[in-house]
Amino acid sequence: MVSWEKVCSPKSEGGLGIRDSLAWNIAAIGKLVWWVYYNPDRLWVKWVNQVYLKGQNWKDYRPSGDLSWRWKSICKVKDKMDTGYLNGHWLLDTKGYTLRSGYELIRQKFQHVHWHKQIWNSWCIPKHQFIGWLIAREALMLKGRDNHTHLFQTCEYSRRLLDDLAKMLRVNFPVSNPLQGIAAGHYSPLKKGVILSAISVTFYHIWLQRKNARVDGVLLRPECVRELIKKDTKARVATRLSQGIATRDNLWLRSVNLIV
């Protein structure tokens, strides 16, 4: 399982890039805080100054207990975002306060991950991307003696499928970490995309076979799964190819039987 905070982080930080609605709402309220700092001529700001501030410094202002909860909420946001303001100026953007910069200040930050470009490659099928993301985060719900290291690295069944894939594509990559191996290789963008797509397909089918074995007690032979991997990869290549394909890429795709 992955926490909601991590799910809402950018893909470069290992998340899904989903926007955190609570943090976004706080950032939206931050716009009102910015108006009080920087737009004294707005009618709403003039009203705030007359009714609430009454000449007090906005940075140091604290609401009394008998004021409305809406106004107190705005003041709480002011305190929460205090590090972004300095002498009435917004530090995160030279043009002034924006929702995006306010959201960046509020949201929880995580370390950048090295695998996001391989997982979220445009060549990969979305459902394969999602399973690949869970694998990279070691967040698949596994039971019994299974763990991510065994299922995708040391398991003889998985290693055989990955070895077969390397032979099919005529490339070399470490079975223990194929994504990193391909990322470090010198390939054309098209070739790298096809290889990453094929690895993503393979991981998906390894997970699927493990699930079917647990739920239905059925496990396909590696030879059968290999044909399914090739079929899915070939179908993805067919949907992605354009007219302007380089000669060497064309020759490689023909040599590995991914195009006719």
Side-chain angles (χ1 to χ4, degrees):
M1 303 296 288
V2 184
S3 68
W4 184 244
E5 290 79 12
K6 292 180 180 177
V7 168
C8 291
S9 62
K11 292 178 179 178
S12 61
E13 296 178 17
L16 290 180
I18 296 174
R19 184 174 293 161
D20 185 334
S21 57
L22 177 59
W24 187 259
N25 187 54
I26 293 173
I29 297 175
K31 189 75 171 181
L32 302 178
V33 177
W34 169 251
W35 284 352
V36 178
Y37 270 124
Y38 199 69
N39 293 293
D41 294 332
R42 282 183 175 271
L43 180 60
W44 179 79
V45 176
K46 290 181 179 180
W47 177 79
V48 164
N49 282 316
Q50 287 291 326
V51 176
Y52 293 117
L53 298 184
K54 298 178 181 179
Q56 297 183 63
N57 182 277
W58 177 222
K59 181 177 178 60
D60 302 323
Y61 172 82
R62 295 293 182 272
S64 59
D66 59 344
L67 299 180
S68 72
W69 69 268
R70 289 186 178 86
W71 175 246
K72 289 179 182 178
S73 297
I74 294 174
C75 294
K76 287 180 180 179
V77 171
K78 173 181 72 73
D79 295 336
K80 185 182 289 289
M81 307 185 77
D82 185 61
T83 56
Y85 299 104
L86 180 63
N87 298 325
H89 295 283
W90 182 244
L91 301 178
L92 279 70
D93 195 321
T94 56
K95 296 180 180 179
Y97 185 90
T98 62
L99 280 179
R100 184 179 297 277
S101 60
Y103 178 77
E104 282 299 309
L105 178 68
I106 291 297
R107 74 170 182 85
Q108 188 172 349
K109 310 294 193 305
F110 298 93
Q111 285 187 335
H112 282 243
V113 296
H114 62 83
W115 43 259
H116 71 283
K117 290 184 179 180
Q118 288 76 54
I119 295 294
W120 301 111
N121 188 284
S122 61
W123 278 85
C124 300
I125 298 171
K127 66 178 181 180
H128 298 168
Q129 290 176 329
F130 182 71
I131 295 299
W133 173 72
L134 290 176
I135 294 169
R137 293 208 64 97
E138 297 190 2
L140 286 175
M141 297 182 69
L142 304 177
K143 294 182 179 180
R145 296 181 180 179
D146 281 340
N147 58 58
H148 288 78
T149 301
H150 170 260
L151 187 58
F152 298 101
Q153 294 183 20
T154 62
C155 173
E156 185 63 30
Y157 187 92
S158 302
R159 291 181 68 88
R160 182 172 174 182
L161 288 175
L162 288 167
D163 282 335
D164 288 346
L165 179 68
K167 292 175 183 176
M168 183 188 83
L169 297 177
R170 299 182 181 179
V171 295
N172 294 316
F173 54 73
V175 175
S176 60
N177 197 340
L179 292 178
Q180 187 173 354
I182 297 304
H186 299 286
Y187 304 102
S188 69
L190 183 144
K191 187 173 182 178
K192 180 176 286 189
V194 172
I195 296 171
L196 289 174
S197 177
I199 293 174
S200 178
V201 170
T202 304
F203 280 164
Y204 175 82
H205 278 285
I206 291 172
W207 166 80
L208 188 62
Q209 290 308 309
R210 184 263 176 198
K211 181 178 74 71
N212 290 342
R214 287 284 184 182
V215 177
D216 303 322
V218 176
L219 181 66
L220 293 179
R221 292 176 312 200
E223 296 82 4
C224 298
V225 180
R226 183 177 61 209
E227 291 304 314
L228 292 174
I229 292 170
K230 186 173 183 178
K231 179 182 177 182
D232 286 353
T233 304
K234 194 172 183 176
R236 186 57 174 171
V237 169
T239 63
R240 290 280 302 175
L241 284 184
S242 61
Q243 297 294 327
I245 178 173
T247 302
R248 63 173 182 171
D249 288 330
N250 190 301
L251 292 174
W252 174 73
L253 288 171
R254 292 181 185 279
S255 70
V256 296
N257 296 317
L258 290 180
I259 62 172
V260 180

